[in-house]
Structure formats: structure tokens, C-alpha cells
């Protein structure tokens, strides 16, 4: 059954395989009147792209040691859902309220590289499970299970970001722009120093975030600290030399979020974010705020005390002294920053011979299918650690969930 | 907007507040012909019930030190969707394919106990966020955000379990019964010894599971080891004496699962399980298989090698040498046991004075609402650690997700 | 698969069989803050009830000749989703934004009356098709396919009506209350005189509607003209005497509707109304505005010219000179009255022997099931013409669709 | 809110405007293993195309007088969701179970033709209602509300047809292929002779359908009788000469349908077909079987008697003596042919000056928008009667609903 749509009001449906003609998405439910900037979509796609060029703090081009090059233009074309008066063609078009179709052509697929995968299942990949589910599979480049599918998510996430920036909410209000930022917190065993304290959420101000964002964008590991980036790169180079790969952890921080987003009891904000994150291929876990540390904590440590600062006699602003909840209570945003970590498994493609099985027929699996033991050595170039490439996907999926929740929340009150 | 339904084919909609007349659920999409045993629903509800009586290995009644008593009959009544021939009234009725309505009356609510909560927000609870979302709230007993809501989930989970046991699948086959079992892995800082090895999944045989299930059911902490149960109880008694509360970790294990369940790319099996788990109020994180440990692993450690054991020349059975993936690859079940851990935050209600705020009006929030600082001391008896009570909820939500996925999978192939 | 929920934001799920313990509904997605008046729900249920008492213009009780008595209390109990401050118990409670559960007990089912239906299929009923779909059926009183199921729809429709009356819309505005009114336009071959002209929609003013409503409520046929009511009753008495039944047509009129409701391209307003109407058991067709007459019309006849009346220099109000479109263009409401007719088939239960078949086993249908010819004579009292009883169901389903569309429309614009 | 997806399991999402770069669809939920023939999609699109060439019974090319030419290649490209082994490129690819994306480029849009529509609303079109809903609109060629949008439906319908032909059903079985056929029953006041009798459904045999199909395909009106086609063409030529347009009625017949399709109580088969049909722009009504005639019928006339013909002692086949129900009872298919009529309104674009209004600003509507009276004369060539072009759209939407229902029905039984 169909599982390629996410969202209830801001609905994103993606399509496309790694080695098919194209991939893309349809965004249904974008309100009319949102300025849609194709350049921002392209910028987001460029950030996700394999072998993306990056510029460091000194203006030098960075070689990203963790990911490896597949030359894809990843050029997005908007097919529908936007309109600008023909006499003002230079203006940013507006969304019309109709579905926004986005197309990204595949331009560099090499089907011939994958003929050996027709027979054998790569350990750690979805090869075996797709065959078990569907009876056969598109074995070229991972087909639909390829990370390439996330390009469509990133394009949709860019639209979601435009909704977050330009939508007027009705039931809740916030004066500032919702800001979503993610970074590599740990990779190949190297941890970045803590930059966000759950014990002092008020320290997360605009300047902190601006500095953080600038640092992340100017190192190839997309981590929060330049020195750490260098150490991570070294650890990854070592992995590469050994034909191996590495895992990591990505942190996501959302600030200026209005209170009350989320839809109990099943579509809680943390539940929907968890689903969105675990829907990214390599992610194997998520924790909010104090997360798994909460197991060892007491209520007196964990509970975030609520305080009110008198802005004026008629306007008072509640805040939380700590943020062990990670910005979500009862499945609803508290207004404090949303903080969650996700764990990224090591890249399953490695240059080391592995045990696996192959099947005796390559058509749709029938009761006659037999399997026999074999070894596999995966060829070609592959990523070593997915963290830097998944960072923009985490941001995109967060934006998609929040845009949907912001629109859903319009019906919270009469 | 509505968020009280989970599932695409096996759809569960719950309703009801802690102190309203009743709570319950409607299960739409249960196939016709499933034997529906009301006693099994009741048994599941009794297991979840506050202050549930338990019997230890020696046949003695166990006093559950972690949870505290609210006397609720929690008697389930099936209102619709089942039928048995009137001449054979003693027979188990069958589902008819129409919606199954289940009603559980609230019988012991004390509204007067909650009058002070009308004004102030309890830290760690959903009081503040519900007010922010809806403009006002049912402040009696937590209303809809109360853990009491999970009674309806447990009733629905019992039906889901009956589907898992009695449904014939079409695209995938398994000869044995899907088995779901959860237990307290850690509570109040006390960890149980490891019983399930990711490095040796074939050690998880029927006898291991039977022993495990028996141990879990005969200690009040629902943990996997009798000695650990005793230590956990002591740690919790200490918390209680200090007016404090404690968190913990619950592990869930699913065996005899067919390969191929899950619906890429957004409704992956792990994504849907993550959503289902995070939709449980006190749960703040989830990890599958090696989970957050994966961050430090290499591909060569993490990848689970695939092997085939020749059952006969015409029938070969693939298996995995290790199970770091926790039984899910590419969002689809591999056929290996599904293993995941969830973290439970400390009970937010503690007997210690806390900082909070109160609002100046108690009607629907308007622009005139002001907040002022105050302190709150929560009265009444409360749970110390939610783990033993959440164990059956984790099992129920897992059953609901799997029943839905099993039915969705019927359309994987032509 | 599940088909017992209608609506995308204002979601109504119904459950319950004719002869089970109870029926009811869960309404998920009702915004918080709507005053919920249980008496209005009860009033709507009383209007639908079999053998409902009616009072004519002279204050005399009316014997409804078309429908026949099943004594059901049809007492609605709200189980959840509403709250009123305990110190002000006499006040109307408000919706809390959580699901509203409504329970209606069945009190007068006679299972013994239906034993002969276990074997044979009643022509014109759903007996045969339910058996074919589900393998067996609840044969007592029609089970889920009974018209009794509509009681839950009427209760939900009453809540929808409260939403229509109390919701502030964001993208569209209307100063007056949306008004929904339906009546029997034709029954047993007797037609009521035309009261609504498509050629002169501006003639449909408040006084016309008030008079119409008053007439409809004071005759047992729920038709728009007292003299017609008398003729219809006679025609139906004749049917009854002959052991036969009759069909009819119901018209529905919605006034003060804001322009722009409906969600292209599939969830057009007329598409959703058509689905809602055809989901009522006895309805076999629907037409909007000029409907099937449009086949013979030319564009110059059919097109409704648009005009603007200057209310003031700064406020101008568009209107339509005619209303052949029935108030809907491009799947969106135009602001003109919505007008549609639905056709009601004759009651299938008649006191005349009919050809049918019976099956050789009464358990779940297997490949061994055989059918043989037989005759059936249906016993007990039955309705002659369903129109007067379906009138409130048409109104309820219209209210449910419009409440959903009003809330969906909140996301039309940024 | 989003309304551009239809179906629960076989989900079709369409996108695209009349004058944007492209339109298309994503089909999510197509089971794996269905042979996908791009030529059949192209053939279906060619049939729908404006000014489609047709060949009559004598092999001569037919000039279609009812529709007028817009030269569109309407070339479909499949972007994803199919796979064929690269070594067997000539073989028909199979669906992989992943979403099937289809792209159709717009190649002949002339934006300059539509500048006058920026200001004024065309009567009978969706211009005014789109402006009211979204605040502004894409005024080039009708934007999303253009009939051009149906090209995507026809492409999806071709895939649905492949599902109907190649899917193995589990709960219900039929040996023959489901056959869907539609034709113009009435146009411009000219009625075709009755070819399908509700009183004698068994007369609808394969030969009748083959002859019917052949006749329909070889006349430009797509009607069931050659002589009628000639008369319809004359009536339409007269309309054209007068600058006017005409309506009509289309009949749809589905044979070899298994019993039991449809999902009570809201997603009844007739309810879903009604929604699907009314979602087609020009359709204003639908009736099943005896339809609006049922109002005048008695139960004794209307009820379709059920009979069983003994195929053998162990295999008996139920059938209906008449088919006033149009093949649907209780919202489920009976196994008898499904028969319904839909009414098509006259083309709203006519060459006659009409009353309308224009607005004073052309940006997103604000409270300052004022309207003033004006006249409009629509230029360019337009269709006179939509029936022949809507016939393939009716077939496509019927196929989409039936494919979805066939797959949904797989979960009717355990």
C-alpha cells in the first residue's frame, strides 16, 4: 500500500528511483499567496548534493572527505502551482493554492555498474527486504531505497520553509521567524563540544544561532566547531583507508516556535518528528531533550520550571528555566526551543568482502526461489559517513512537519 | 485538527478524558472472521490498570511499589462489530468487518481534587501547552493528556493481537505466531542484565521467550530478572520516601515476524513504530537495534551478514548472523527479531514544591491573559515510575502498528 | 478496509448495528470553544426517530403514515470532548478540541424476529452483498446496513451545525448564519409545487425560508406544501393497503453560504456532497441546480450571469441573476444558494412474496457454498416511504460536509 | 487544504495547470508486478485529446464537430515506478510497487490570448469562485480549473485499467475481465435509442458489448448508434452557427464486476463513484440504475429478484432478474452490471455577449476589492458539447475507483 505521502494538510508526495529518468514531488496543500523562490529550492538541493562544494571561513573551497562524488546537476523545475502576472515576469511568483509539482532529472546514472547486484543482496542495504516484499526489485543503484530519493524531500522542505516564513497563523502567534538548524554532533567517534545547554535555554539567542550557522556552513562535516571538523575529517580518512565506514549523530534545533503545535493523541509533535526522522534511510533512533538520559533522572531534575517575565503589566511572557523536555510537553510545543538528536548508522557499502546470499531466479519471487551462500565485494566509490549529507535532509523533514502542524493548528480553536 | 486516529487500514480512533463519563475506541478495518475474545481484552486492561495485582513466582501477591492505586473497574464493553449466531451464544463471536466500538466507563474520578490545578500549570505536564493550543483546558485529572487515555489503546491492542494471530497474509507467509513482548530494562538507575544479544539473534528461541515472559509477569516492575526487580523496587521506594520520581527504559522484542512489512518511503516500519511509541505521553526517545551505539560503529561491525540454511533442496531459509539493524532494513522487516528500546521520563507529579505560573483568567485565553509566578505542590498519590504500567501500552501500540502493516502488505504484490 | 469515517478535518466515525448493544460516533477535529448543546442533539435525533410525533399547524398531533413505529428512546449521551467549569454546571459546555464521543443505546431490538432472514436474502436489501463481501453477516435487523445507522449521523450532524453557527472563518466571511433545509419534493408519485426558482434566486429571502421551514415541520411527510402533504399521505395509504412501498425525491437548500468552499480537483464541494448523499442507503441519484435538465439546455440558457449591486462605494456585493449551477462552479460554492435533489428508492421490504435464493450453509462462505431458489415473504411492520425520515439525514450529512469544508478552507490562503 | 488525491490504496495525485510547463500525476499504491504498457497510456490520452482523429466503420477519418482543436502532443512520459531487466529492454516493464510518476508537457499554450480574462469573470466558469477562495488566480486558460487537467486522470485511469486486468483478488473472484465502457446517451437534445435494458440484464452479453464498443469508437459523438451520431452532429452544428453550446448525458456500463466491492458506510461504491464523477468539471448529476425514475416506482417494481442457475451441483451462480439497482445494493456491487448516467452541462464558453463583473484590483483580493458590472464576449475557438471528450474521462475515473475498491476489498476477510 501507498506510503509515499507525508503530512495531513501540507502534503508531500515523492516519487522516483536512483536510476530512473527523474525524481520529484508534488506538494498539495500549500496555501495560496506564498512567494515561491526557485533559487532557494536550488540552493537547498545544492547543499544536499553529493560532492557539494563548500567554502570555509577563509573563503577556500573545502574538499568534503566524508561524501563522495556523483555528478548530478540536481536541477529543480517547478511544473505547476505557481503564478506570476505575465507583465511582471521578474517578480517572485506566488503559490496559487494548487499542487506544486517539482521535477529533478537524473542525469548521471550508470546502469551497467549494478549488474552484479542483480544476483546478491548487499548487507545493511534494503536489497533483501525489497525482494521479500515486492517479489523482485529495481537493482540499479538501490532503486527507490537509494539516498537519492531525499533530493525530493529537500526540494519540498524548501517550500515548507517558505510556508513557515510567510504564513499568518491564526490560533498562535509568534513575532519572530521559526528557525531550523541541524549539525553533525558526532561522527566516526569524534564528538563536538556541547553548544546548546538544556539547563539554560535562554542562552540560545540570535547571535548564538547566527555564529553556529556560520560555523556549520563553512566546514565539510557540517559540525558546530571548526577544530572538531578537522578531527572528524581525519577519523573519516582513516576509515576510508581501511575500506570501512562510520556512523554519527545529528542534532536539530528549532527556535522561535509558537507554543501549542502538535495534534494529540497520536499525531503529537514529537511523534510526527520521530516518524519523519526515522523515515530517513540511515537513521536508527531519536531522542528529545534529555532523551535516554531521562532514564536516570528524577522528576525534580527533569521537570522544567515555568516562569513569567513581566514585559509590561498587560503583557507577560512565560518561559522555562530548563529544557529537559526538548521543547515538547504532552505532544505540543512549549515555545521553548525544540531539541532532538538522531543517530546515523555507518554507510553499509564498504570495501571489505562480506557474507551474503544470492537467489536462483531473478524474476518475481515464487515458491521456487532458493537462496545460496556467497560473498560480496561492493565496487565503486561510496560515502564514508552520511552525516554531512543528512544534515539538510533533517532540516527539510523538520520544516515539512512544522509547516503541516502550523496549518493544522489553524483549526485548534473556533 | 484531528489526530486521534492511528493506522491506515486497521484504524484505531480513541476518545475520552480522565474524568469524563467514559473513554473508548472505535476500530475500523478489522477484517471479518476474526474471533474476538472479550476476556482477552479484559485481561490486557487488567494488566495496565493502576495498582494491578500481580502474582510472583511463588504464588504470592505482589505489591507494586512503582505505581499507585486508582480504583477503576476498567471494564470493557464491546458495542458493535461482532456477531455470533444466537443459537450458539457460548461461542466466541467473530468480527463482522464493521467498526468495533469499545466502551470503558470511568467510575472513580474525583473532580474536587483538581480545583487547584485550574489556576496553575504543573511542570512537566501538558497543562500549559493545552491552554496555549486550545485557549482553555479540562483541568480535571489531566483531561485528555492523562495516562488514563492509554486504556483505550490497550483494548485496541488486544484486538490487534487477535488479528495478528488469526489473519492469513497473502504476500508474505510465516508459519509461527508473531510474538510481542516488552519489559522494563532499566528503572530508577537500576539496569537489568542483557537477555537479548544483537550479536547472536539465533539464540532467541521459543524457550528463551517463554522464560522471559514468565519472569516479566511475576514481578511488579515487569523486568526481565527477579533479582533486578528487587533492586528496582528498593530504588523506587527511596524515591517515594524523598517525594521524588524516576525514569526508565523499556525494551520491546517482536519475534516470528514475516519479512517485508513496512511501506516506504515515509511509512517505514521503524518510522511508524517510532511515531506510535512517541505518541505515548511519557516516552521521549526510541532506538532500534544498536541504536545510538551505531554512531561509534563501523560498517564492518554494523552490517548484519546474511546466510542461508538449507532446510531442503527446494526450501532454503535466509537468516542474519547478527541483528544490529534491530530487524528492520530500508524501513522493511527483515524477518529477524525486531528490537527497540524506548526511554520513559520520570513521573512529572512529585511531592516537592515547584516553580510555575498561573493565569489571571480561567476562560478561553484572550489577549488579556496575564501570567504571574507562583509555586505549586501537587497533592494526592501518584506513580513513582511509569515503566511497569507502560510495558503493556508499548506492547499494544506495537500490535496496532503490526496489524496495520500486515494488512497493508496484502497489496504489495499483484 | 475501513470506510466508516467521513471528513478530512471535521472527521466523523460511526459505529453500531441495528440490533447490537449500541451505536454512536466519534467526532474528531471539532475546534475548541464551540458551545455543545446536548438538547439540540436530542432534538435532531427525535426528528429522525421512527414514528416521531409531529405537531401540525393547529397544534394537533400528526400520525405519520409513511413510517412505522419502532420504539427506540434514541437517547444520546456525550462521553467525551466537552467541558464546563464545575462551579457553573448549568452553563452550556464548550468543546475542548478533543474527540467528542456520542453513545446511543439500542433498547428495543427483537432478535427473534429475524431468524428466517438467516437463510434467505431479501431483494433490494444488502443481505446478499454483505454475505459476498464478508463471508457471513449479522442478519438481525439488517446489521450495519440498517437505516438505524443514520442515528449516529444525525447526532454528528447536530454537532456540525453547532460548528457552522459558531466558527469564525478566516479566509471567507459571511455575516449571516448558514442555513440548511431539506424537504420531500415528491413521494409516491405526488409532486409538491415548485417553491424555489432557479431563475430567480434573489427571491429566496429569510421570510420564504421561515415559512417553508414552518410548513415542513408541521406535516408528517415533511413536504413544502400542506395540501401536497395530504395527497402524499393518501397515496402512501394506498401503497400500504396493497402491501407495497414507494419512492420519492428530497430537495436540499443551503443559504447564506460563503463563496469559495470546496477543494479542487477531487474534493470539490459538489463531489463531496454527492458522496455524502449516496452514502445514505436508499439514495440512488443526485443532481445540482438544473441537474439532468442541463442536458437539453444551451450555454446561453445555463450560464448564470454575474452582477454587482453597489452596497456602497467601498463595498460591492456580487450576485448571480440565475442559479442553474445550483450554487457551485468549478467545485466551489459561488455564494448563491446551494440547491440539490436526491432520489429515494422505494422501501425494499414489502408484504408481497418475492423470488430470492438461500444458501446451504450459514457460516463464513467457503467454496462449498451453494445457493438454491426460494420465495420470501417479509414479516413485521415496515416503512412505506423513507422520505420524511431521510430528510433530517440529508440535512445532517450536508452540515457535516459543510463544517469540514469551512474548516478546510482556513488553509486556502497564507 | 489539499484535495488533489483520490483513492485510499490506489492513490492518484494530479498536478498541473492549463498553461503551466506541464501536468501529470503520481500513482501511489499500484501493486508490484503489474505489466505497465506505455502505449496503452498514450492511446487513452489520444482518445481524450482535443480534435482527436477518429476512424469510422468504413475506415474514413471523422471530423469531430463537437470539440475543437488545440494542438497538444499530450505525450506521456513515465518517470518512475516501473522496471524491466536491462537485458530484456523490449519486454513490457513491471510496476515495482513504488510510486509511478507520469509527466505530460504542455506544448501549445498561448498566454497572450487570455489577457482580457485577467479582469473579468466568465459566467459558468470557475473564475469568480477561484478568486473568492484563493484571493487571486492563474487566469491563463482556466489554470487548474481547465478541462485540460483531465489528461492526468486519463493517464492514471490507463494504469488503473492495467491493475483491473492483472490483479489477483483474494476475497472475491471473477473469471472474466472487468469491462468499463461509456458513451454519449444524449447530446444537444438528441437521444440515442436504449441499448441496455434494466429489465433484462442477462441480455448484456459479450457480443452486445463488443458491437457497442465498436460503434462508439467509430463515430465522432461517441454515441451508441450511428444514425443518432449523425443527428447529434447536425444539432451541434446548429449550436455552433448560433454561437451557442449544448449539454448531454453520458452512460457508463461496467460488466464482469465481482460482488462485494465497496466499503460501507461512507465509502460505498456508489458514493465513491458519485464523488469521482462529480469531481469532473462539467458534470452536474449522477443516477444509478433506475435513478430518478425510482421516485415513481413501487417496491414491487423496483426490487431485483435474485435467482440461482445451477451450473453444476457443486457450483451455483446467483443472478438478478432485473437491475433497477444498477448493480449496487447497500453500497456494494451485486455482481450485476453497474449502470449509471451522468449529466454534462453545456460548454460555458459561448460566442454571445454575457453579463458579468470585473474587479478593481488584480492582486490578491483584499478588503478593498470592488466589483463593477460589465459585459464579456469570449474569443477564440471552443468546444460546443463536451460529451465525446468526457466519455474517456468517465471511463478513467471509473477504473480508478474500481482499482482502489478491488485492492481495498483484499482486507474484507481474515
Amino acid at each position: 500500500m501507498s506510503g509515499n505521502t507525508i503530512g495531513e494538510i501540507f502534503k508531500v508526495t515523492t516519487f522516483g528511483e536512483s536510476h530512473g529518468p527523474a525524481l520529484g514531488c508534488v506538494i498539495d496543500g500549500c496555501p495560496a499567496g506564498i512567494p515561491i523562490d526557485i533559487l532557494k529550492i536550488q540552493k537547498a538541493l545544492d547543499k544536499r548534493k553529493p560532492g557539494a562544494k563548500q567554502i570555509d571561513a577563509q573563503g577556500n573551497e573545502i574538499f568534503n572527505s566524508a561524501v563522495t562524488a556523483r555528478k548530478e546537476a540536481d536541477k529543480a523545475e517547478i511544473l505547476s502551482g505557481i503564478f506570476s502576472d505575465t507583465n511582471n515576469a521578474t517578480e517572485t511568483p506566488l503559490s496559487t493554492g494548487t499542487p506544486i509539482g517539482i521535477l529533478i532529472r537524473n542525469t548521471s546514472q550508470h546502469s551497467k555498474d549494478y549488474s552484479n547486484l542483480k544476483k546478491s543482496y548487499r548487507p545493511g542495504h534494503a536489497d533483501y527486504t525489497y525482494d521479500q516484499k515486492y517479489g523482485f526489485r529495481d537493482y540499479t543503484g538501490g532503486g527507490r531505497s537509494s539516498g537519492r530519493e531525499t533530493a525530493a524531500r529537500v526540494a519540498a522542505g524548501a517550500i515548507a520553509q517558505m510556508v513557515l516564513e510567510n504564513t499568518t497563523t491564526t490560533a498562535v502567534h509568534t513575532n519572530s521567524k521559526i528557525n531550523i538548524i541541524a549539525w553533525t554532533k558526532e561522527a566516526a567517534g569524534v564528538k563536538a563540544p556541547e553548544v546548546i545547554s538544556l539547563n539554560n535555554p535562554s542562552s540560545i539567542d540570535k547571535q548564538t544561532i547566527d555564529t553556529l550557522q556560520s560555523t556549520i556552513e563553512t566546514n565539510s562535516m557540517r559540525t558546530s566547531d571548526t577544530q572538531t571538523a578537522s578531527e572528524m575529517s581525519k577519523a573519516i580518512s582513516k576509515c576510508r583507508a581501511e575500506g570501512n565506514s562510520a556512523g554519527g549523530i545529528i542534532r536539530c534545533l528549532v527556535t522561535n516556535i509558537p507554543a501549542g503545535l502538535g495534534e494529540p493523541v497520536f499525531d503529537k509533535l514529537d511523534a510526527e518528528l520521530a516518524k519523519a526522522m526515522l523515515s530517513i534511510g540511515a537513521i536508527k533512533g531519536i531522542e528529545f531533550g534529555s532523551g535516554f538520559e531521562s532514564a536516570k533522572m528524577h522528576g525534580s531534575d527533569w521537570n522544567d520550571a515555568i516562569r513569567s517575565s513581566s514585559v509590561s503589566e498587560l503583557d507577560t511572557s512565560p518561559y522555562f528555566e530548563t529544557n529537559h523536555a526538548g521543547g515538547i510537553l504532552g505532544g505540543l510545543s512549549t515555545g521553548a526551543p525544540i531539541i532532538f538528536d538522531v543517530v546515523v548508522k555507518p554507510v553499509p557499502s564498504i570495501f571489505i568482502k562480506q557474507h551474503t546470499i544470492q537467489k536462483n531466479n531473478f524474476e518475481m519471487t515464487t515458491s521456487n526461489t532458493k537462496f545460496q551462500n556467497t560473498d560480496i565485494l561492493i565496487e565503486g566509490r561510496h560515502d564514508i559517513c552520511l552525516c554531512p549529507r543528512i544534515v539538510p535532509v533533517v532540516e527539510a523533514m523538520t520544516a515539512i512537519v512544522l509547516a503541516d502542524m502550523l496549518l493544522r493548528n489553524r483549526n485548534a480553536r473556533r
Side-chain angles (χ1 to χ4, degrees), chain A:
Chain A
M1 197 186 130
S2 47
N4 295 283
T5 299
I6 194 162
E8 290 294 312
I9 292 195
F10 186 84
K11 283 190 180 174
V12 175
T13 303
T14 69
F15 62 90
E17 278 80 38
S18 173
H19 282 53
L23 48 83
C25 62
V26 181
I27 298 151
D28 196 13
C30 182
I34 306 282
I36 302 295
D37 187 345
I38 181 81
L39 293 180
K40 285 188 182 170
I41 300 173
Q42 198 56 55
K43 197 176 160 190
L45 282 170
D46 290 345
K47 196 171 163 188
R48 190 210 70 96
K49 209 163 60 170
K53 276 189 196 170
Q54 285 186 287
I55 307 299
D56 71 11
Q58 284 72 43
N60 300 317
E61 191 175 318
I62 297 164
F63 175 72
N64 187 329
S65 60
V67 299
T68 188
R70 162 171 164 175
K71 294 282 176 288
E72 282 288 0
D74 273 3
K75 189 158 169 44
E77 180 189 10
I78 298 185
L79 301 173
S80 63
I82 63 172
F83 186 69
S84 63
D85 196 301
T86 48
N87 297 326
N88 297 298
T90 58
E91 286 183 7
T92 302
L94 298 180
S95 61
T96 58
T98 67
I100 300 172
I102 299 179
L103 182 74
I104 303 166
R105 290 267 170 202
N106 287 323
T107 54
S108 92
Q109 59 272 37
H110 316 283
S111 293
K112 59 184 172 181
D113 291 343
Y114 293 92
S115 56
N116 70 315
L117 301 181
K118 180 177 171 179
K119 301 180 185 175
S120 300
Y121 302 124
R122 293 168 299 168
H125 279 281
D127 299 353
Y128 172 70
T129 53
Y130 266 63
D131 249 27
Q132 286 290 306
K133 184 176 190 70
Y134 299 112
F136 76 118
R137 77 186 194 282
D138 174 352
Y139 52 79
T140 54
R144 181 76 178 146
S145 72
S146 164
R148 180 144 181 72
E149 171 263 329
T150 59
R153 301 184 183 213
V154 167
I159 303 279
Q161 192 66 51
M162 296 172 209
V163 170
L164 293 178
E165 289 172 16
N166 292 284
T167 303
T168 57
T169 62
T170 57
V172 293
H173 298 281
T174 182
N175 291 321
S176 309
K177 208 177 86 176
I178 294 175
N179 190 279
I180 301 168
I181 179 170
W183 64 91
T184 304
K185 191 184 160 191
E186 179 178 339
V190 180
K191 286 187 190 182
E194 196 76 69
V195 284
I196 298 297
S197 169
L198 298 179
N199 283 311
N200 189 12
S202 60
S203 69
I204 309 176
D205 57 10
K206 192 174 182 319
Q207 195 189 319
T208 308
I209 290 168
D210 287 350
T211 305
L212 186 54
Q213 191 126 25
S214 164
T215 305
I216 296 164
E217 286 180 3
T218 49
N219 75 77
S220 68
M221 289 305 297
R222 290 200 169 108
T223 187
S224 54
D225 177 74
T226 309
Q227 175 60 25
T228 305
S230 170
E231 291 169 28
M232 284 177 175
S233 289
K234 276 181 212 156
I236 280 163
S237 293
K238 186 163 173 291
C239 271
R240 183 191 305 278
E242 293 166 351
N244 220 331
S245 66
I249 292 174
I250 292 170
R251 168 156 287 192
C252 186
L253 171 70
V254 184
T255 49
N256 290 322
I257 186 92
L261 299 191
E263 300 295 329
V265 294
F266 295 117
D267 299 354
K268 285 171 170 154
L269 182 54
D270 37 1
E272 292 294 347
L273 284 169
K275 174 179 168 175
M277 292 306 133
L278 271 292
S279 81
I280 302 171
I283 290 181
K284 297 299 286 186
I286 187 169
E287 55 180 357
F288 290 85
S290 291
F292 278 88
E293 281 303 303
S294 307
K296 294 176 186 17
M297 293 171 76
H298 294 119
S300 58
D301 311 322
W302 200 96
N303 288 349
D304 302 314
I306 321 176
R307 296 278 83 183
S308 172
S309 65
S310 292
V311 176
S312 76
E313 200 172 339
L314 285 170
D315 186 15
T316 57
S317 173
Y319 66 96
F320 293 84
E321 289 184 336
T322 55
N323 191 13
H324 301 289
I328 300 174
L329 279 176
L332 302 177
S333 58
T334 64
I338 295 174
I339 298 172
F340 61 86
D341 288 354
V342 294
V343 61
V344 178
K345 73 177 185 185
V347 172
S349 290
I350 54 174
F351 297 91
I352 298 169
K353 196 180 282 187
Q354 298 177 86
H355 282 183
T356 191
I357 57 174
Q358 62 180 33
K359 61 175 178 175
N360 68 337
N361 65 355
F362 313 119
E363 284 73 52
M364 285 198 69
T365 305
T366 66
S367 51
N368 296 331
T369 302
K370 292 199 299 180
F371 301 99
Q372 63 181 82
N373 290 329
T374 185
D375 286 345
I376 191 167
L377 182 60
I378 298 167
E379 293 165 9
R381 300 187 65 189
H382 297 98
D383 295 343
I384 305 303
C385 175
L386 288 169
C387 285
R389 201 186 292 182
I390 289 184
V391 160
V393 183
V394 165
E395 291 172 342
M397 293 307 295
T398 302
I400 289 169
V401 170
L402 290 178
D404 192 41
M405 284 301 178
L406 202 69
L407 298 180
R408 289 177 77 171
N409 199 48
R410 286 181 169 181
N411 283 312
R413 304 187 190 183
R414 71 157 175 246

